[in-house]
Amino acid sequence: MGGASSSAMNAPVVVPATARHTATVIFLHGLGDTGHGWASILTESCRIPHVKFICPTAPIQSVTLNAGFQMPSWFDIKGLSPADPEDTEGILKASTSLQSMVSEEEKNHSIPANRIILGGFSQGGALAMYSTLTSHKQFAGMIGLSSWLPLHKSFPDSLTSANKNIACLQCHGMSDPVVPITWGQKTSELLKTFNEYTDFKAYPGLMHSSCPEEMQAVKEFIEKYLPPV
C-alpha cells in the first residue's frame, strides 16, 4: 500500500517560540510538498510568542494518483473520487508516526497534548484530523485546510471520547480544483453529527491554496485554544 517509502521521516522544520514555550502546533504539508513552505507561511502569518511550530516532511513514497511517481506523501492516494479505495494501512502508519511526534513533545519539552494542536493542508490536514479524532490523548484543537477526513466511513465508531468535542477549524477555497469544497463540506457535516465545536469557513475565489484571510482565521483559532499560561 503506497509503494516503497523511505525508512525514516526527515527532521522537521521547527519554528521556535520567541517567549517561554508553553504550547505547540504540529502542521503537516500537502502531497509533494515539504515542511519548509508551511514553516515560512506560519512564521509570517501566525507567529505567537509562546507557541512553537513543528512542520515535518513526509517520507518519500510512490503515489498511485501520480502514476507511481515518488514524492513526499503521508500515505498513498489512489484517486480523487470519494468512491476510490483508500490506503488504510498507510493512513494508520502515518498516524502512528504523528502520535510518536506528539509523545516526543510531551517527553522532551514537557508540553502536554492538551497544549498541542494538530493541523495541516490538504493531505496533511486529512492526516491531522484523522489522528486527532482517533487519539486517546486529549488535544487542544485541530485544523484542516483544503482537506477532508480520510476513512470517514469508520466514524463515529473510530472516534475516541478524548476528542469527541474537540475544537475544529476547517477552511476551504470555493474554487478548489484539487480537493473540491464538497469534500470539506461533507467532512464538516459528519463532524457536526457528534461535535458542536466545529467551524467551517469558505473563501470565494480561493483555489487549492491559502490566503491572508484564512491564515488570520488560523491565527485567531490558535490564540483562542492555546492561550498564554
Side-chain angles (χ1 to χ4, degrees):
M1 303 287 282
S5 63
S6 60
S7 59
M9 192 180 298
N10 293 325
V13 182
V14 176
V15 181
T18 57
R20 187 172 70 91
H21 173 212
T22 62
T24 297
V25 174
I26 301 176
F27 198 91
L28 310 179
H29 63 77
L31 178 66
D33 201 357
T34 69
H36 292 276
W38 277 99
S40 297
I41 293 171
L42 293 166
T43 298
E44 294 171 2
S45 59
C46 296
R47 202 70 183 268
I48 302 167
H50 63 281
V51 177
K52 177 174 77 175
F53 290 92
I54 301 176
C55 298
T57 293
I60 302 294
Q61 60 179 307
S62 59
V63 177
T64 301
L65 176 66
N66 291 339
F69 188 78
Q70 293 209 338
M71 62 185 65
S73 180
W74 300 110
F75 51 85
D76 191 20
I77 296 180
K78 300 180 182 298
L80 293 177
S81 166
D84 288 323
E86 295 185 88
D87 179 15
T88 301
E89 181 183 343
I91 293 167
L92 296 178
K93 181 179 178 181
S95 182
T96 297
S97 295
L98 181 55
Q99 300 292 354
S100 296
M101 189 174 299
V102 171
S103 296
E104 290 177 9
E105 194 68 5
E106 291 178 307
K107 179 181 178 181
N108 298 335
H109 301 284
S110 300
I111 304 297
N114 63 8
R115 294 287 295 169
I116 297 174
I117 286 176
L118 301 184
F121 176 80
S122 193
Q123 187 195 40
L127 177 59
M129 288 194 289
Y130 178 84
S131 299
T132 301
L133 295 173
T134 57
S135 176
H136 292 284
K137 299 177 185 290
Q138 183 176 6
F139 291 98
M142 66 179 185
I143 299 170
L145 308 183
S146 305
S147 195
W148 73 97
L149 179 63
L151 305 180
H152 65 277
K153 292 181 180 179
S154 68
F155 291 90
D157 291 346
S158 296
L159 179 68
T160 61
S161 58
N163 295 296
K164 181 178 181 180
N165 288 308
I166 191 167
C168 173
L169 174 65
Q170 281 184 268
C171 299
H172 218 115
M174 295 178 68
S175 299
D176 192 331
V178 179
V179 179
I181 191 171
T182 53
W183 286 32
Q185 291 169 329
K186 288 184 180 299
T187 291
S188 180
E189 291 169 6
L190 173 59
L191 293 176
K192 287 178 178 178
T193 63
F194 55 78
N195 183 348
E196 61 181 298
Y197 300 105
T198 182
D199 185 16
F200 185 86
K201 297 181 183 296
Y203 297 88
L206 182 64
M207 301 184 73
H208 196 60
S209 183
S210 61
C211 65
E213 294 80 9
E214 180 183 67
M215 296 314 299
Q216 180 61 32
V218 170
K219 182 178 183 181
E220 291 173 358
F221 181 84
I222 297 171
E223 289 176 328
K224 180 177 181 178
Y225 292 103
L226 292 177
V229 293

